[in-house]
Amino acid sequence: MEWWEKKEKWFDCFEVLGIKENATEQEIKKAYRALAKKYHPEGKEENVEKFEQATLAYNTLIDKEKREKYTAFWKRLKEFEKQAEKEEKQEEKPLSFEDLVQIHKENELKIKLTIKDMI
């Protein structure tokens, strides 16, 4: 199991490094070097987590095989989050009378088709 598959360790590698998903190897290296200089711990406890995240992100994205796996996982996660957000918004929206009538008609049709199949 890769680190990004563990829920408690999740973070977006592209966001941490401040790069786009289609970044080149040179762009990844450049972004990592800048963050490594900025957040190198050198006795500063507050920088340790940021430095570790940048290093994990770099090691993940610089390796082609890991990057492909991570990118596929990242896309699935984003799709899941969008779907969950969409469902949450739908639950919050009260149904109108027209919506209720439409649902009733759909259910009625399903019942008729089921009964027809049984006969």
Side-chain angles (χ1 to χ4, degrees):
M1 178 179 274
E2 297 289 349
W3 68 266
W4 61 80
E5 295 171 313
K6 299 175 185 172
K7 189 173 182 178
E8 67 275 0
K9 284 203 164 206
W10 171 254
F11 61 87
D12 185 346
C13 289
F14 299 106
E15 188 177 304
V16 167
L17 293 178
I19 58 174
K20 295 181 181 177
E21 188 179 334
N22 61 353
T24 65
E25 191 174 312
Q26 288 177 330
E27 291 171 324
I28 295 168
K29 287 179 181 180
K30 183 179 177 180
Y32 173 69
R33 286 187 190 122
L35 289 174
K37 286 179 186 177
K38 183 177 180 179
Y39 293 120
H40 195 278
E42 298 177 343
K44 298 176 185 173
E45 288 295 318
E46 66 272 7
N47 289 348
V48 172
E49 186 177 347
K50 290 178 182 178
F51 182 77
E52 287 175 352
Q53 283 185 349
T55 302
L56 268 175
Y58 171 78
N59 289 333
T60 300
L61 297 180
I62 206 70
D63 180 297
K64 289 181 183 180
E65 188 177 313
K66 283 184 180 181
R67 183 177 181 168
E68 286 176 12
K69 286 181 184 178
Y70 171 78
T71 303
F73 177 83
W74 181 73
K75 284 181 180 179
R76 284 193 314 270
L77 181 69
K78 292 296 179 187
E79 287 172 15
F80 176 77
E81 287 175 348
K82 284 180 185 177
Q83 183 64 31
E85 188 176 294
K86 183 179 177 182
E87 288 173 4
E88 188 177 295
K89 285 181 181 178
Q90 286 178 345
E91 288 176 9
E92 292 174 4
K93 182 181 171 186
L95 296 174
S96 68
F97 180 75
E98 290 80 17
D99 292 335
L100 293 171
V101 170
Q102 183 63 32
I103 291 170
H104 177 71
K105 286 180 180 178
E106 289 171 4
N107 288 338
E108 189 177 49
L109 180 62
K110 287 177 188 176
I111 292 168
K112 286 178 181 178
L113 291 173
T114 303
I115 291 171
K116 185 178 178 182
D117 289 340
M118 295 171 75
I119 298 176

